[in-house]
Amino acid sequence: MNVIKQHILCSLNNIVAKYLQTVSVASNSNFIVQTPPKNIDADFALNVAMLISKKTKKPPRIVAQELANIIIKEIPELVEKVETSSAGFINLCINNEVLYKELKSILEEKDKYGSLSKNNKKRIIIEFVSANPTGPLHVGHGRGAAIGDSLARILKYLGYSVTKEYYLNDVGNQMFLLAKSTEIRYRQLKGEKIDLPADHYQGSYIIDIAKRLLSEGRSINQIDFKHESVSEILKAIKYDLEKFNIEFDNWFFESTLTNTIDKNGKTEIAKISEFFLKKGFAYIKDDILWLASTKFGDDKDRALRRSDGRYTYFASDIAYHMNKFKRGFTKLINLWGADHHGYVARIKACVQMLGFKKETLHIILYQLVSLLRNDSSVSMSTRTGEFITLRKVIDEVGKDVCRFFFLLRSPDSQLKFDLELAKKQSNENPIFYVQYVNARCNSILKKSTDRNDIMIDTKNIDFSLLNTKEERNLIKQLIAFCDTLVISEKTMSPHHLTTYLIKLADVYHKFYEKCRVLANDSNLASARLKLIESVMIIIKNCLGLLGISTIDTM
């Protein structure tokens, strides 16, 4: 509806400008085209009469009526009916032909409807999940994965060049602890009496890695425990992501920044440190290299290099962001857990220090997931302290259901995921509710093949027969798909699509209750069949952007 709205707004601007000239008012007031309350039978409402009434020295209702008379005369191809309220609102009903034209576009463009041509001016990189390779993915990672992947799909659909990247922290103390944890478990399996310290990794997956290494018959001196552990865990992470219908374009290892040396013998992290020193953004105190991040809004200066020469994780993160810019990306999107909120200001400050506008970096913080079973909380961890894994939830409810539930709320809202609700085959379950519409439409279309009086070619369809309130509302909801894409891009949140789909299902059911699709009149039946074919197209497009498959039979 936004395309239609903008078209109408453009025409109305011209009409209002001409009207003001006739009453000798030079300036124009900004007005809005909005959705009227549910009790008003109209598509759009204007507040322009109330804004300009004082200038015209006329009551708002008089100005509204005068403008309404002009509107219906000037743009009958866009507006079918104009009414005014006593308060001075102008209520517009769109010409049905405008709606039918969009309906035809859906049928013609199919999976391209609402998409935009390639935009080469902006190259976007979305970094998400990026869980440390120290254990399996848990449900929190799953929510970030669903948000990031769906957002990438939406942006690609809107014409942007998008790269999905996973950043792997494969250096530092956590890697040392991981390697030692596996080594100790290996030695325990060999019969050594040795304890695993409490600050090491306790998960059963470490024992599994150790068992595999033991079965291979290599001596302890032949095993690179860090390499073996990271490789095994990364393999499991990739398996889970593939199972979740997520494929990354690139896997970036932190060690690239700390170990790769250029022709001058310098690493990327070292070059960043030198750059900050040269620009006066960093200083050395007590043998520690400090970033003067308070100059750019941070609450305190941050260490980049320790006194023993080891770089901090923060330094690696800065070098990583610079690396993205060097690769030609013009928009950086990071998805982080909400517990990283204190990190936002300082990393944005660094982007400015590197010479880029802070707006080039957009950080999405997503809240925690609470698992429920029949409205009762489920413990998020096992007795050994392991989090409930993403794989376990996918195995229980399915990847499509899992993704839909993760995307039901905006990232900044906490999410309650009821496992029993997710498995219900009823309208209580939002994904079932949506998929059932698609399956019902498909069933009707199959049934229609038994009739020989149905017209298939869209050119022969009389869409003017779709004139009931329910049919009109369904067409309007289908067209709103494009608006939803725009909102999703603007807010950087794919949850608008799940909300849209649930509303589409609501509107469809009202249509289905009132309008018999396979009517006796073949012309009417043909038109309604094209309408439900459009419903299937939009549902498939929408679910596809969410990384979810459509179900044609239930």
Side-chain angles (χ1 to χ4, degrees):
M1 292 287 283
N2 193 55
V3 175
I4 298 171
K5 183 178 178 179
Q6 292 303 317
H7 195 21
I8 289 174
L9 182 60
C10 182
S11 299
L12 290 174
N13 275 321
N14 293 330
I15 290 170
V16 172
K18 288 179 183 178
Y19 173 78
L20 290 173
Q21 287 179 358
T22 63
V23 293
S24 302
V25 175
S27 62
N28 188 4
S29 297
N30 291 326
F31 62 92
I32 58 173
V33 177
Q34 58 193 38
T35 302
K38 289 183 179 180
N39 62 321
I40 302 296
D41 187 20
D43 300 312
F44 298 122
L46 309 178
N47 66 344
V48 62
M50 290 174 280
L51 295 176
I52 66 175
S53 62
K54 285 185 179 180
K55 295 178 182 179
T56 62
K57 297 179 181 179
K58 296 179 182 180
R61 62 181 180 81
I62 298 299
V63 176
Q65 190 56 58
E66 289 176 349
L67 280 170
N69 294 336
I70 299 171
I71 290 169
I72 200 68
K73 182 181 177 181
E74 291 283 330
I75 51 173
E77 74 282 0
L78 293 177
V79 177
E80 187 172 82
K81 184 173 72 172
V82 185
E83 292 179 344
T84 60
S85 71
S86 58
F89 277 103
I90 303 172
N91 299 313
L92 311 176
C93 284
I94 302 167
N95 189 317
N96 281 350
E97 288 301 321
V98 176
L99 299 179
Y100 302 148
K101 183 180 178 182
E102 279 299 307
L103 187 60
K104 291 174 187 175
S105 294
I106 294 172
L107 291 163
E108 290 168 4
E109 297 174 23
K110 293 183 171 49
D111 62 348
K112 297 294 189 294
Y113 180 74
S115 65
L116 300 176
S117 55
K118 194 168 184 180
N119 179 358
N120 292 314
K121 293 181 179 179
K122 188 178 285 188
R123 290 186 62 213
I124 300 174
I125 182 168
I126 302 183
E127 181 243 314
F128 59 104
V129 184
S130 298
N132 294 334
T134 54
L137 299 178
H138 56 64
V139 290
H141 296 134
R143 188 182 190 193
I147 294 169
D149 185 64
S150 299
L151 181 58
R153 290 168 185 260
I154 292 167
L155 293 173
K156 282 183 180 180
Y157 197 76
L158 293 175
Y160 294 105
S161 171
V162 181
T163 295
K164 295 183 290 183
E165 186 159 277
Y166 191 117
Y167 179 59
L168 277 147
N169 301 95
D170 62 330
V171 297
N173 188 57
Q174 61 184 357
M175 290 296 102
F176 170 79
L177 291 176
L178 177 65
K180 290 301 294 182
S181 299
T182 306
E183 181 184 345
I184 290 170
R185 290 303 193 195
Y186 177 89
R187 290 165 65 184
Q188 287 175 340
L189 291 171
K190 293 274 286 183
E192 288 189 43
K193 301 296 182 182
I194 182 172
D195 293 327
L196 182 70
D199 64 345
H200 284 45
Y201 292 99
Q202 306 290 324
S204 59
Y205 59 93
I206 297 293
I207 298 174
D208 293 337
I209 296 171
K211 284 180 178 178
R212 178 184 64 79
L213 294 173
L214 185 63
S215 70
E216 291 174 355
R218 288 185 284 171
S219 68
I220 195 168
N221 296 327
Q222 294 175 314
I223 300 173
D224 182 339
F225 285 99
K226 174 192 167 183
H227 172 76
E228 295 291 346
S229 301
V230 171
S231 297
E232 190 78 11
I233 292 170
L234 185 54
K235 181 180 176 182
I237 288 173
K238 288 183 176 182
Y239 174 84
D240 289 347
L241 290 171
E242 183 181 349
K243 197 171 184 179
F244 205 39
N245 196 23
I246 292 176
E247 183 178 347
F248 281 92
D249 300 304
N250 192 39
W251 296 75
F252 191 97
F253 290 79
E254 183 184 353
S255 55
T256 304
L257 305 169
T258 58
N259 298 343
T260 305
I261 299 173
D262 67 8
K263 60 183 179 181
N264 297 316
K266 294 179 180 179
T267 62
E268 287 199 43
I269 198 168
K271 286 187 285 186
I272 286 292
S273 300
E274 290 180 6
F275 172 80
F276 283 150
L277 277 169
K278 185 177 180 181
K279 289 288 184 179
F281 296 145
Y283 60 93
I284 297 174
K285 182 180 178 182
D286 300 327
D287 293 327
I288 299 172
L289 177 64
W290 295 91
L291 182 70
S293 51
T294 50
K295 292 182 179 180
F296 289 81
D298 200 358
D299 58 340
K300 64 180 181 180
D301 291 346
R302 308 286 171 175
L304 294 177
R305 190 179 62 225
R306 302 177 181 90
S307 57
D308 62 4
R310 290 181 299 124
Y311 286 98
T312 62
Y313 287 122
F314 184 44
S316 292
D317 285 343
I318 298 169
Y320 175 48
H321 282 78
M322 186 60 187
N323 181 278
K324 293 179 187 179
F325 286 120
K326 283 183 176 179
R327 283 184 275 157
F329 294 107
T330 56
K331 182 73 174 180
L332 279 51
I333 301 174
N334 297 349
L335 265 87
W336 296 345
D339 56 333
H340 286 73
H341 65 91
Y343 211 62
V344 175
R346 72 191 71 157
I347 204 69
K348 279 185 172 287
C350 292
V351 166
Q352 288 178 280
M353 293 181 200
L354 292 171
F356 303 94
K357 293 181 180 178
K358 63 180 180 180
E359 292 78 18
T360 57
L361 172 63
H362 185 89
I363 298 173
I364 301 169
L365 299 176
Y366 60 91
Q367 292 288 342
L368 298 173
V369 179
S370 299
L371 287 181
L372 307 175
R373 200 176 290 280
N374 291 324
D375 291 328
S376 297
S377 296
V378 174
S379 176
M380 294 292 283
S381 61
T382 65
R383 285 182 301 171
T384 58
E386 296 178 56
F387 282 101
I388 298 296
T389 64
L390 174 62
R391 186 182 301 183
K392 185 174 181 180
V393 177
I394 294 173
D395 288 342
E396 181 170 349
V397 304
K399 67 95 177 169
D400 286 340
V401 174
C402 197
R403 286 186 70 127
F404 198 90
F405 270 66
F406 279 144
L407 297 169
L408 280 171
R409 301 285 180 268
S410 63
D412 59 359
S413 299
Q414 290 194 351
L415 180 71
K416 293 182 178 180
F417 191 136
D418 194 312
L419 295 165
E420 293 304 316
L421 174 62
K423 293 186 287 186
K424 280 188 177 180
Q425 299 288 298
S426 72
N427 288 347
E428 294 176 76
N429 181 346
I431 179 66
F432 178 88
Y433 187 52
V434 171
Q435 293 279 26
Y436 185 67
V437 170
N438 189 73
R440 174 171 273 178
C441 289
N442 186 60
S443 176
I444 295 170
L445 286 170
K446 281 187 175 180
K447 195 173 181 180
S448 71
T449 59
D450 295 336
R451 291 176 54 166
N452 56 15
D453 60 343
I454 299 298
M455 285 175 282
I456 304 300
D457 193 338
T458 303
K459 295 176 183 177
N460 298 325
I461 303 297
D462 184 1
F463 288 104
S464 67
L465 296 172
L466 303 175
N467 51 32
T468 67
K469 179 183 177 181
E470 291 74 23
E471 289 164 326
R472 206 170 181 279
N473 285 342
L474 184 52
I475 298 171
K476 284 164 59 179
Q477 182 62 20
L478 291 173
I479 297 169
F481 170 64
C482 298
D483 300 353
T484 309
L485 291 175
V486 172
I487 295 169
S488 298
E489 178 196 2
K490 187 176 181 180
T491 61
M492 289 288 171
S493 176
H495 86 280
H496 298 288
L497 288 179
T498 55
T499 303
Y500 166 82
L501 280 168
I502 293 168
K503 185 176 180 181
L504 176 59
D506 287 338
V507 176
Y508 173 82
H509 284 302
K510 289 174 183 175
F511 154 79
Y512 184 80
E513 289 170 6
K514 295 284 185 179
C515 305
R516 183 171 169 236
V517 178
L518 296 176
N520 293 331
D521 184 318
S522 62
N523 290 321
L524 179 58
S526 298
R528 285 177 174 169
L529 284 166
K530 286 298 177 183
L531 178 55
I532 67 168
E533 183 183 333
S534 299
V535 170
M536 290 185 70
I537 290 170
I538 294 298
I539 288 177
K540 185 175 182 180
N541 289 356
C542 215
L543 288 176
L545 292 173
L546 299 175
I548 298 170
S549 306
T550 52
I551 298 175
D552 292 335
T553 57
M554 297 183 83

